[in-house]
């Protein structure tokens, strides 16, 4: 049986009046509670003669848990960004100081007599002060490095390593020594020194600024060639902090080369040629980052040379059996630690091999 008011067989399918007809307009309890208008009860209307409805205060909806977490995360991220902006561990990059031009002094050392020579370069080395020197880059060891007040251990090592690389390229590379290449040296320089470097080779001058033999060691290819590529080297590297943004490396090395006349064969006598180089390097933080160097001072003693010949562009060695007039008031020993004061010195006999 159907309920009261319903046909005995129930509401016909599809007929109006069924539950489905009003389902779209049925309000659930949450919708009713959220209504802004509320009808007064009959008792309230009789007692106060109020309107039939009243406006309900708006409900305060709390933030959802996800929204609250999102707000907290944004606040934490913003606070962290502000803190790191105010107290970050890295100092603000200071404006770079102008790079000093290289200052060059090249002092030829003239022998007092004939240049000794022999057909065996090893014999020359064995009877010279270079007998105990190391070969090649092994003669430029890195010292034990320590951090400074404003530079870390790794930064000090970078400065020392870059200075060593400059010495190797400018004093030991055969293509540089023979005057064929300058690029291996050029690529290590601070860009602010490249103009001076290029002018030194396009327009060499004995002005203490544009002297190629102050930048690197190279022999006149028409005069001499290497008799032995096992160049003997000895010297030191030291690093020190000059200010909070600058490291300075001082290099003091003696290089000894075995040379023969250009175009000769192995039967011709070889002789030794000595170059003492005192270089001063400077590194700011940009140089350290890019592994480049500023070369600010170059003091060179080289011999045997003739003081009458120009050593600005190339070194023109005196070879076995050759002689030159003495220059300077006293003998200068490039193996010693003192500095020469004359523009041309006399090569001390103790600096030559005894053969």
């Amino acid at each position: 049986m159907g309920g009261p008011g319903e046909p005995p067989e129930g509401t016909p399918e599809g007929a109006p009046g069924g539950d489905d007809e009003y389902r779209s307009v049925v309000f659930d309890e949450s919708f009713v509670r959220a209504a802004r208008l509320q009808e007064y009860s009959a008792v309230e209307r009789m007692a106060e003669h109020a309107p039939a409805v009243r406006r309900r205060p708006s409900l305060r909806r709390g933030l959802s848990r996800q929204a609250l977490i999102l707000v907290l995360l944004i606040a934490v991220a913003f606070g962290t960004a502000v803190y790191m902006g105010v107290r970050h561990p890295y100092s603000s990059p200071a404006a770079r100081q102008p790079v000093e031009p290289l200052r060059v002094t090249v002092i030829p050392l003239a022998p007092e007599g004939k240049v000794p020579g022999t057909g065996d370069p090893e014999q020359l080395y064995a009877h010279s002060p270079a007998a105990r020197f190391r070969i090649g880059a092994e003669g430029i060891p890195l010292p034990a490095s320590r951090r400074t007040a404003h530079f870390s251990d790794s930064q000090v090592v970078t400065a020392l390593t870059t200075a060593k690389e400059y010495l190797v390229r400018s004093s030991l590379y055969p293509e540089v020594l023979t005057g064929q290449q300058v690029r291996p040296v050029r690529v290590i320089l601070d860009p602010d020194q490249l103009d001076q470097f290029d002018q030194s080779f396009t327009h060499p001058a004995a002005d203490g600024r544009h002297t190629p033999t102050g930048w690197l060691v190279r022999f006149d290819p028409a005069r001499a060639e290497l008799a032995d590529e096992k160049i003997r080297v000895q010297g030191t590297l030291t690093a020190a902090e000059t200010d909070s943004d600058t490291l300075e490396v001082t290099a003091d090395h003696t290089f000894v080369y075995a040379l023969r006349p250009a175009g000769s064969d192995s039967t011709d006598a070889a002789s030794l040629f000595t170059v003492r180089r005192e270089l001063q390097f400077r590194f700011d933080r940009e140089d350290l980052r890019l592994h480049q160097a500023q070369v600010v001072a170059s003091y060179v003693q080289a011999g045997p040379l003739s003081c009458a010949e120009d050593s600005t562009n190339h070194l023109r060695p005196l070879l076995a059996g050759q002689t030159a007039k003495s220059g300077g008031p006293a003998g200068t020993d490039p193996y010693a630690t003192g500095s020469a004061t004359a523009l041309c010195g006399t090569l001390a006999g103790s600096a030559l091999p005894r053969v």
Side-chain angles (χ1 to χ4, degrees):
M1 296 266 316
E6 294 181 357
E9 291 82 8
T11 304
E13 183 178 357
D19 290 343
D20 291 341
E21 183 178 353
Y22 302 99
R23 183 169 298 169
S24 62
V25 296
V26 172
F27 305 120
D28 59 15
E29 184 177 355
S30 63
F31 181 85
V32 173
R33 287 199 304 268
R36 300 295 303 275
L37 299 178
Q38 182 181 29
E39 185 179 6
Y40 283 100
S41 66
V43 174
E44 290 173 328
R45 289 199 302 272
M46 289 175 62
E48 300 180 4
H49 303 284
V53 296
R54 62 183 173 185
R55 185 174 296 277
R56 298 178 64 183
S58 60
L59 295 176
R60 293 186 178 180
R61 295 176 176 268
L63 290 174
S64 67
R65 187 173 184 180
Q66 292 84 350
L68 181 60
I69 293 175
L70 180 60
V71 170
L72 288 175
L73 288 175
I74 292 174
V76 170
F78 180 76
T80 301
V82 171
Y83 175 80
M84 294 298 291
V86 175
R87 298 195 55 174
H88 57 81
Y90 306 102
S91 57
S92 300
R96 289 195 74 192
Q97 296 295 324
V99 175
E100 292 186 18
L102 172 65
R103 307 182 306 275
V104 177
T105 302
V106 178
I107 300 180
L109 304 179
E112 294 181 314
K114 288 185 178 181
V115 177
T118 180
D120 184 6
E122 291 292 337
Q123 184 179 356
L124 288 173
Y125 284 126
H127 293 85
S128 77
R132 296 185 179 181
F133 284 15
R134 295 182 179 181
I135 297 175
E138 293 182 358
I140 314 174
L142 296 179
S145 61
R146 294 183 180 178
R147 62 172 301 147
T148 65
H150 299 92
F151 292 90
S152 66
D153 286 335
S154 63
Q155 289 174 314
V156 175
V157 169
T158 297
L160 291 168
T161 302
T162 306
K164 175 178 178 176
E165 184 65 18
Y166 184 93
L167 288 167
V168 170
R169 290 169 178 249
S170 63
S171 309
L172 299 176
Y173 274 25
E175 62 270 29
V176 172
L177 297 174
T178 56
Q180 299 176 24
Q181 293 284 340
V182 298
R183 189 176 182 278
V185 180
R186 189 181 190 275
V187 295
I188 301 183
L189 289 173
D190 186 292
D192 289 344
Q193 286 192 312
L194 294 181
D195 286 345
Q196 183 189 6
F197 181 87
D198 293 340
Q199 290 176 19
S200 297
F201 290 89
T202 56
H203 299 92
D207 59 0
R209 288 288 188 271
H210 302 93
T211 307
T213 49
W215 293 99
L216 48 81
V217 177
R218 68 173 184 174
F219 303 108
D220 183 351
R223 176 72 61 86
E225 63 184 30
L226 291 174
D228 184 1
E229 292 190 358
K230 297 178 181 179
I231 301 163
R232 279 21 179 211
V233 187
Q234 179 171 282
T236 59
L237 286 170
T238 57
E241 176 182 314
T242 57
D243 57 51
S244 60
D245 293 308
T246 309
L247 274 175
E248 190 171 279
V249 174
T250 301
D252 185 354
H253 292 80
T254 299
F255 301 85
V256 186
Y257 306 86
L259 302 177
R260 282 195 176 96
S264 65
D265 55 38
S266 58
T267 61
D268 291 329
S271 59
L272 296 186
F273 188 87
T274 304
V275 179
R276 180 179 171 194
R277 305 183 75 195
E278 298 179 51
L279 299 179
Q280 183 179 337
F281 300 91
R282 196 163 291 165
F283 301 86
D284 59 23
R285 298 185 185 277
E286 184 73 1
D287 292 323
L288 294 173
R289 185 178 69 85
L290 298 176
H291 294 265
Q292 61 193 21
Q294 304 171 32
V295 189
V296 297
S298 174
Y299 181 86
V300 179
Q301 301 173 52
L305 289 171
S306 174
C307 295
E309 294 195 75
D310 185 10
S311 300
T312 301
N313 195 16
H314 293 89
L315 298 175
R316 295 180 169 88
L318 294 174
L319 302 174
Q322 296 179 337
T323 60
K325 293 182 180 181
S326 299
T332 302
D333 187 350
Y335 293 92
T337 57
S339 296
T341 57
L343 294 180
C344 184
T346 300
L347 184 63
S350 60
L352 297 171
R354 300 182 182 278
V355 292

